[in-house]
Amino acid sequence: MPANILLVEDEPAIQELIAFNLSQAGHHVMRADSAESAQNIVRNALPDLILLDWMLPGMTGIDFAKKLRAEERTRQIPLIMLTARSDEQDKVIGLETGADDYITKPFSPRELQARIKAVLRRRAPQITDDTVEVQGLRLDPATHRVTGNGDTIDLGPTEFRLLHFFMTHPERVHSRAQLLDHVWGDHVFVEERTVDVHIRRLRSALESTSFDRLIQTVRGTGYRLSAHNN
Ligand code: CA
């Protein structure tokens, strides 16, 4: 499951090593050597996960984590803190800021991979390769196949990602801005109307299997996937 990972680490050698390992594992890595430059990256596009060093020049990792958690737009970004401290008390502080996990340096690439995978599976199931199914509508991210009661459904890449996001977050209402952030990865440069266009395409692709009924408009709020009527 390749993810867009933002790595915030000020020590060049460690940054290089982690970035190398993550790219080897198929992830796309964006790098920042301070919380301030990480902030600029996040402002443009939301990463799938942030690896955040605790000790940074300028704003600390802890303060940056608090900032991310305080803002509506960035609150949900999966976050793993990297630190040289192994103190229990520090671990508690790290998790209290809203970090999903915590890794103490030095760590093996394998451990990092495992932690990333676990956090993504829990917090961002739409980017994992697990097959999802809702009432006979089945989506397999590994083979990029969608079937409705066994019949193949052809979807464009955006509709596929949109459906994957809906299926991994069922019954919840998502605003257009939230869908842009999670499916397009960016809410700044894409118009909200774009969402409506792709919802329309998704529904029409699902129509032949009548699963279009799952994609519901919630007036004034956004869209949701629901197995229930209303
Ligand atoms: Ca550091």
Side-chain angles (χ1 to χ4, degrees), residues 133 135-139 145-153 209 211:
E133 179 162 0
Q135 291 195 335
L137 178 63
R138 205 177 145 85
L139 181 147
R145 248 173 82 87
V146 180
T147 53
N149 295 322
D151 293 336
T152 298
I153 296 169
T209 52
F211 281 107

Side-chain angles (χ1 to χ4, degrees), residues 204-223:
S204 102
L206 295 174
E207 218 165 22
S208 62
T209 52
S210 75
F211 281 107
D212 56 313
R213 70 189 144 83
L214 297 181
I215 310 297
Q216 300 173 358
T217 303
V218 181
R219 204 182 299 169
T221 317
Y223 297 101

